[in-house]
Amino acid sequence: MPRFVIERNLPAGLDAGDIDDAARRAIAVNATMPGVRWLHSNLALDRSKFFCEYEAPDADSVREAARLAEIPCDTVTEVTVVAPEQYAGSRL
């Protein structure tokens, strides 16, 4: 399944409750969309941006899920995983 990183520019003044509400909406919407799965997110400390990783059939599915959940979806980039364990024991 393709993976995507979504950059979400957030409006100023969000609090923890706003973030919780958006996450719950995303979970509910994703449950109705075949193949769309939220893997994890990173929230900027100043709460200005979210960087979310998803599995989805395509970028349009990610955008549609965000639209239905009423959350920002500014940039969608297809990615591949690169992790330290892939290089364990290799000599550079």
Side-chain angles (χ1 to χ4, degrees):
M1 179 72 68
R3 285 187 182 224
F4 299 89
V5 169
I6 300 91
E7 182 175 344
R8 305 180 191 281
N9 293 304
L10 304 176
L14 291 180
D15 62 24
D18 297 321
I19 302 295
D20 290 348
D21 290 345
R24 284 183 175 77
R25 288 195 311 271
I27 291 166
V29 166
N30 293 347
T32 70
M33 302 204 53
V36 176
R37 187 166 76 104
W38 176 22
L39 300 174
H40 72 270
S41 295
N42 294 288
L43 177 62
L45 290 178
D46 66 0
R47 294 192 174 141
S48 65
K49 290 183 184 279
F50 244 136
F51 300 93
C52 304
E53 187 171 348
Y54 272 69
E55 285 182 341
D58 52 52
D60 287 338
S61 297
V62 172
R63 288 184 190 94
E64 180 64 5
R67 185 189 70 76
L68 292 171
E70 299 177 0
I71 55 178
C73 184
D74 298 294
T75 305
V76 178
T77 304
E78 189 168 1
V79 298
T80 188
V81 174
V82 178
E85 55 272 10
Q86 293 172 299
Y87 301 96
S90 69
R91 300 184 80 184
L92 298 177

